[in-house]
Amino acid sequence: MSGKGRLVLYVGPMFAGKSSHLIKAASAHERVLALKPGFDTRDGAELVSRDGSHFAARSVRRWPSHSEDYSHIVLDEVQFMVSPHYEGDIVAELQSARLRGATVTVGGLDSDYRQEPFEIVSRLMQFADEIIHLEARCHVCNQPAQWTAKTHETGHLLETGDQELYEARCDEHWCLPEVP
Ligand SMILES: Nc1ncnc2c1ncn2[C@@H]1O[C@H](COP(=O)(O)OP(=O)(O)O)[C@@H](O)[C@H]1O
Ligand SMILES: Cc1cn([C@H]2C[C@H](O)[C@@H](COP(=O)(O)O)O2)c(=O)[nH]c1=O
């Protein structure tokens, strides 16, 4: 494999369908290297969407060997692929896969629960050939939501969780969590 590949990035808040799109992208090919961060232990060795779809994936804390054997790479939750949870520079590794000709499809949160950008995702945006911004539905009013709110403060910026801890929110209903 050689020549210019392609980096496609799905970003948005939680519940926006990022995993669903990645699973569809992975399922469209016979041979795919699907990766998820070792930090996210919620769903075992699978990419899982809340719409019920799933796809077998490798849980990694560093870039896998033999990745060059794959022309399609799919990776979810890239915001977790940072030190000390990930050893290496995921942006450089994905860019290198793209440059050797792979089609790389990545999903991640563009901003954290404080509405601050995840720096690793912002860096990746610079190299993306296509960025798809997805929206969820606000948990309060059901209007389009581009933010994630945390329902109570735990003191952790990176913390796996679902609806018990996070909600999609629109501009009007986003707020910082109450500090206990
Ligand atoms: N607030 C919400 N807004 C939109 N979809 C939601 C919401 N809560 C649950 N869902 C469900 O979640 C699915 C998307 O989930 P998922 O693919 O896991 O998204 P993401 O990876 O972006 O968190 C939607 O198809 C819908 O069925
Ligand atoms: C906003 C926010 C989220 N997280 C965590 C919570 C979830 O485990 C993932 C996002 O999963 P999804 O597939 O996009 O629903 O990220 C976090 O650690 N910090 C945050 O600020």
Side-chain angles (χ1 to χ4, degrees):
M1 193 182 4
S2 65
K4 191 176 174 297
R6 194 167 164 72
L7 173 59
V8 179
L9 185 55
Y10 285 90
V11 293
M14 289 178 68
F15 313 99
K18 301 181 301 296
S19 302
S20 177
H21 278 87
L22 292 184
I23 291 163
K24 281 194 192 99
S27 307
H29 303 282
E30 219 162 84
R31 204 172 139 67
V32 177
L33 176 61
L35 303 173
K36 61 182 281 187
F39 179 75
D40 187 353
T41 53
R42 287 179 298 172
D43 297 306
E46 281 198 313
L47 305 184
V48 174
S49 164
R50 294 178 185 84
D51 69 5
S53 59
H54 50 97
F55 193 90
R58 227 188 278 181
S59 235
V60 294
R61 289 185 183 272
R62 65 182 65 84
W63 190 249
S65 51
H66 306 300
S67 67
E68 57 283 358
D69 296 347
Y70 294 84
S71 54
H72 290 93
I73 299 174
V74 172
L75 184 153
D76 204 0
E77 312 279 13
V78 70
Q79 74 275 358
F80 289 143
M81 291 180 142
V82 290
S83 175
H85 311 297
Y86 186 82
E87 202 180 294
D89 181 349
I90 192 65
V91 175
E93 287 152 347
L94 290 171
Q95 167 70 335
S96 150
R98 169 181 173 270
L99 289 175
R100 71 166 168 78
T103 300
V104 181
T105 312
V106 181
L109 296 171
D110 43 2
S111 44
D112 63 30
Y113 69 91
R114 308 164 309 173
Q115 291 187 320
E116 299 286 339
F118 275 111
E119 194 203 327
I120 198 84
V121 181
S122 305
R123 275 184 61 210
L124 204 49
M125 282 178 175
Q126 295 181 298
F127 298 105
D129 297 285
E130 187 180 357
I131 302 173
I132 297 133
H133 292 266
L134 299 174
E135 289 180 329
R137 290 274 158 188
C138 176
H139 277 77
V140 177
C141 67
N142 208 36
Q143 290 301 302
Q146 69 178 107
W147 307 110
T148 311
K150 200 165 188 173
T151 50
H152 51 277
E153 186 55 90
T154 60
H156 301 289
L157 183 59
L158 292 182
E159 182 171 23
T160 58
D162 210 314
Q163 300 202 30
E164 77 292 350
L165 193 55
Y166 298 100
E167 291 184 353
R169 294 285 181 92
C170 65
D171 275 334
E172 193 186 333
H173 291 114
W174 172 85
C175 56
L176 282 169
E178 278 178 30
V179 180

